[in-house]
Amino acid sequence: MWSDFGELIALALGIAISPMPVLGVILMLMAPRGMSAGAGFAFGWIGGVGLAVSIFSLLSSLLPARGSEGPDTAFGLTPVIVGAALVAVGVIQIWRRARGQADDDAAELPRWLSAVDKLTVTRSVVLGFSYAFLRPKNLVITIAAGLVIGRAEPGVAGTAIALGVFTVIASVTIAAPPLAYALGGEQVKATLVRLRVWLLANLALITGMTLILIGIALVVLGFVSL
């Protein structure tokens, strides 16, 4: 049980600690219609993560019941495979930075980040949902999370709690900036500006180290559950 819970938290952190969407939310908050756009993006993100992990959790319940050797092995190996993939991607990120290919992080930013000041609430919601649901890394992680929940067979109430915990943890870094801005106003703005500068300067390193640490945790937890 604790192994399943640990895997679920590690997977959720793999989505939560994503510098690019956090940077996007901060840039939205700096725009003229920042609060509405940032809140819309966070709302869409939460919906995208919640829907994705719910779908894959439901699909995992259609797999053969736990107890036979094949399905248990497949369930147990999923976090190991995902963790190894995250470690590999993280190493590549850091290696590219070390070789000087990621020094100019601004050149690698997606185009939507340069147009955040033009986002309407509707577009920001759609963007947040799409980024959370369709981003390859998030998609792989939510598939793994769905399999972990399916393997644990927690029942209806337990599944609802697991889905809620996963969604909250995976969304906390996206929802926190708009919430802090709404509560703190201009006093928080200066902190967000400093965070934006730091993220722009360290995107590749933050992403790489995060993926490596979370990947290692998943590999260890996956082997423990086998």
Side-chain angles (χ1 to χ4, degrees), residues 10-11 17 30 32 38-39 46 55 60 70 87 112 125 148 153 164 166-167 169 177 193 204 213 226:
L11 287 166
I17 309 177
M30 300 296 103
I46 293 170
I55 289 174
S60 71
V87 170
W112 65 269
V125 171
V148 169
E153 299 178 350
F166 179 87
T167 302
I169 295 176
V193 170
L213 292 176
L226 286 175

Side-chain angles (χ1 to χ4, degrees), residues 77-219:
L77 285 178
T78 298
V80 176
I81 295 171
V82 173
L86 292 179
V87 170
V89 174
V91 170
I92 292 173
Q93 288 274 355
I94 296 176
W95 176 73
R96 289 180 61 223
R97 182 178 178 84
R99 291 195 57 182
Q101 296 177 6
D103 288 337
D104 186 9
D105 288 326
E108 298 186 0
L109 297 179
R111 272 186 261 179
W112 65 269
L113 283 180
S114 62
V116 293
D117 56 333
K118 302 176 183 177
L119 286 175
T120 63
V121 177
T122 302
R123 288 181 179 178
S124 63
V125 171
V126 173
L127 180 62
F129 180 89
S130 302
Y131 212 74
F133 191 95
L134 300 176
R135 193 180 184 201
K137 186 192 78 170
N138 289 8
L139 198 59
V140 171
I141 291 177
T142 50
I143 290 173
L147 289 173
V148 169
I149 295 173
R151 179 186 65 197
E153 299 178 350
V156 176
T159 297
I161 293 173
L163 293 174
V165 169
F166 179 87
T167 302
V168 169
I169 295 176
S171 305
V172 65
T173 53
I174 305 300
L179 182 60
Y181 190 78
L183 297 176
E186 293 300 319
Q187 295 179 345
V188 176
K189 192 171 184 178
T191 302
L192 293 177
V193 170
R194 290 193 294 269
L195 180 58
R196 177 190 64 184
V197 173
W198 184 74
L199 286 173
L200 282 170
N202 298 280
L203 273 176
L205 183 60
I206 297 169
T207 302
M209 290 302 300
T210 299
L211 292 178
I212 290 173
L213 292 176
I214 293 175
I216 291 174
L218 284 174
V219 170

Side-chain angles (χ1 to χ4, degrees), residues 13-106:
L13 288 174
I15 294 178
I17 309 177
S18 301
M20 195 73 74
V22 174
L23 177 60
V25 171
I26 293 174
L27 292 177
M28 290 177 194
L29 293 173
M30 300 296 103
R33 291 176 292 183
M35 189 59 219
S36 58
F41 184 89
F43 182 81
W45 177 279
I46 293 170
V49 171
L51 180 61
V53 71
S54 297
I55 289 174
F56 295 124
S57 177
L58 177 62
L59 292 177
S60 71
S61 67
L62 303 178
L63 294 174
R66 192 173 181 175
S68 61
E69 181 179 351
D72 277 349
T73 301
F75 274 131
L77 285 178
T78 298
V80 176
I81 295 171
V82 173
L86 292 179
V87 170
V89 174
V91 170
I92 292 173
Q93 288 274 355
I94 296 176
W95 176 73
R96 289 180 61 223
R97 182 178 178 84
R99 291 195 57 182
Q101 296 177 6
D103 288 337
D104 186 9
D105 288 326

